[in-house]
Structure formats: structure tokens, C-alpha cells
Amino acid sequence: MDQDLVVRAPSPQPADTGAGSLHTRTILEGVGSYLPRRVVTNDELAKRLDTSDAWIRERTGIRQRHIADDDESCAFMATQAARQALENAGAGVADVDAIIVATATPDQAFPATAVRVQAALGATGFGFDLSAACSGFIYGLSVADAFIRSGQARGVLVIGAEVYSRIMNWEDRGTCVLFGDGAGAVFLRAGHGHGTGADRGILSTHLHAQGELGDILYVDGAVGRHDRPGHLVMQGREVFRHAVTRLSETVTEALAAAGLEQSAVDWLVPHQANLRIIDGIGRKLGLPPERVVVTVDRHANTSAASIPLALADAWHDGRIQRGDLVLMEALGGGLTWGSALVRM
Ligand code: ACO
């Protein structure tokens, strides 16, 4: 641990200081994203696979996906998204104490993508990768929030970056049509609030895992094995069934923990796996469709990158405003799932 960091960090807050006193809050200051240049439509896939634009759209809502070229590595895309998040926050590299990259598709087994990003940015402090498949960004937010509230870091970049095109079996129409590549990032900074739902910042996070379901969605190889890099294998129907139940539970617990009603949610920014799952959660929250951020049609499923990419979309076009209450949720391989409630 960097000694300077310990000295500069704020003291941890007592667990219960009452609503009148100040609590450390993790404020989401800036958002950034990067999408690969190359766009691949459903029709292009249908030229080399027994599938169709109609089938893909009807079952998933996906119209196209971005696919990385060789020069668009996981670390490159993560760095681009991080730079934009810092710029958007009006922050500099000197404000970064820690970098967390959520990814299931790092360029190398080690060093971590996060330290490649650190070097590219010229930042100091510490960094590591986090593996929780599609829930990785929610896990990253939760870990960063704990670092900030405990005083271990004041400024944290949380990045979701994925190159799923490299773990696709391009002969398997049941999976390869569903995923895309990209990166999204947020810059989080220590701030203060009164410990109420009106505070800006991360209001609650919830994480879950159920390891005995590890075999319904997995990669059958390892990073760095050129002879067998591994392909994604999924029992789609099983994943779908668990997603609807678990995500409904986790949005309910997120609101209960912050003492807020469903009607307080301004935006749902869900993991972008399937439009039918997204619509189901939106309906459960009683949110009109225009309050649910959807990018799965353009980005497909970008795993840990999907939530920050969707957040960036709605933040940069002005839909999501400062003060809005944003509910994020994801479920992925593990199974892992979780939620984060954030006032922007
Ligand atoms: N084009 C045409 N036909 C296809 C395709 C395709 N791309 N893929 C599968 N089919 C066929 C199947 O072969 C099958 O044919 P058969 O009836 O002749 O055997 C038929 O379509 C139905 O297949 P199912 O897999 O049962 O289709 P289903 O309706 O379940 O839809 C889907 C599949 C879209 C994958 C759905 O199960 C789903 O969305 N599941 C959730 C997956 C998910 O969200 N994963 C991500 C969450 S976790 C994460 O993000 C990593």
C-alpha cells in the first residue's frame, strides 16, 4: 500500500452517526466509453451462419454489435474509456488512487489489465482486475465504494472492458449472435452526504453468487492458452430463468436498503443481455420504457462493459441528469448477480 495514499485518505466514518452528521459518500463524477470501430449487423452474421435478423431481433432485441480489431485490445479500450471518464469528471490522473477493471477477457493472464491502463494513463496508486463475468461492473462499484468509504482511496476508476469476440465459438449460432465488444468507465471520488436517500453518490450495492450454477454459463478454456483459448458455453433458457427471478429480488433489496420506493427511481440502467429480460425488470419497477436505458440493440451483450456503456450513452446525450436516481443491475456467469443504486 502506498504510504502517501494512507496519509491523504479520509478517516473511516463511524457506522451510525445519525442523519444529522456527515457520512463519506462515493460520488460518481464522470462517465466514459469506447466502442470498436467495426460494426457487424445481424444480416452480416446471417451470411455465414444459419440464422436471421428476424430471429435475433425477436429473441434478443439485438440489431448489431461492435467487434474489436487486433489493435483494439482490452487494455486499449479500457484506457480510452477511462480517459473520457476523467475528462468528463474534470479530474486528472493525479486524482486516481486505484483502478479496477472488471473483465472476463483480459489480453493476458497477468499483469492485470488495470496496471496496463495505469501505465497508459501515467497514474500511480494500485490496480487489479476483477472477474465476475457480466456482473463485474456492479462488483467493481461495490469494491470501489468500500475502498472510498473505508478511506483506502479517494479517487477510483471502475472500468468494464470486454473482447468477447475472442471467446466466441463463431460456429455456434446459439451464442455468437448475442455478444459484442467495448468498454465503459466511471470515475468515483470521495464526497459527503447526510446518510439519506437524497445524498448524491452510491446509496447501496448488493452482491450475490451461487457457485453450484457455474456450469450453465462458462468458458471452456483459459486466457493465454493459444492451443485452446476457450469458448463461451451457455444454457440460454436456464440463464434466462434465473435472470428474471434474481434480478427482481436484487432491485427490491437495493431500494429497501436505501429506504426508497420504486417510484423514486428515475432511470433503470440494466445489464444489456436481452431486451425481454430488460423489459421484464422495467415493468416490475413500474417504469415507463422511456426511463429504461437500452443499448442492447446497438451494442449486443458486452458483459462487464454493458452497464457503463449504457450509462455513458444516457449521460452524454443528456437524458440522465445530476440528481437523478439510477438503479443498475446485472446477472452473469458464476452465477453472479447484484445491484447498485446511485444518485448522480
Ligand atoms: N438463429 C436461429 N435459430 C437459432 C439461433 C439463432 N441465432 N440460436 C438458436 N436457434 C434455434 C435453436 O437451435 C433451437 O432450434 P430447435 O428448436 O430446432 O432445436 C431454437 O432456436 C430455440 O433455441 P433456444 O435456445 O431454446 O431459444 P430461446 O428461445 O431460449 O432463445 C436465447 C435463446 C436468446 C439465448 C435466450 O435463451 C436468452 O436470451 N437467454 C438468456 C441468455 C442471456 O441473457 N445470457 C446472458 C446473461 S449472462 C451474460 O450476460 C453472460
Side-chain angles (χ1 to χ4, degrees), residues 50-52 55-56 59-60 133-134 164 173-175 177-179 217 232 234-237 239-240 243 271 273-274 276-277 301 303 331-333:
D50 182 14
T51 188
S52 66
W55 192 96
I56 301 169
R59 304 284 173 123
T60 69
C134 300
Y164 265 52
R173 65 178 183 171
T175 52
V177 302
L178 304 174
F179 293 90
L217 177 55
L232 181 141
M234 177 170 76
Q235 293 175 30
R237 290 220 164 173
V239 175
F240 195 103
H271 170 48
N274 184 306
R276 289 183 294 158
I277 300 175
N301 182 347
S303 191
L331 175 131

Side-chain angles (χ1 to χ4, degrees), residues 5 8 86 91-98 121-125 154-155 187 189:
L5 196 58
R8 282 189 284 128
L86 286 174
V93 287
D95 298 310
V96 178
D97 298 325
L121 293 177
T124 56
R154 291 182 60 79
F187 180 63
R189 197 152 32 187

Side-chain angles (χ1 to χ4, degrees), residues 46-65:
K47 283 184 196 152
R48 47 187 160 96
L49 272 174
D50 182 14
T51 188
S52 66
D53 177 50
W55 192 96
I56 301 169
R57 277 193 205 217
E58 210 174 285
R59 304 284 173 123
T60 69
I62 296 165
R63 288 189 286 120
Q64 60 174 49
R65 72 284 298 139

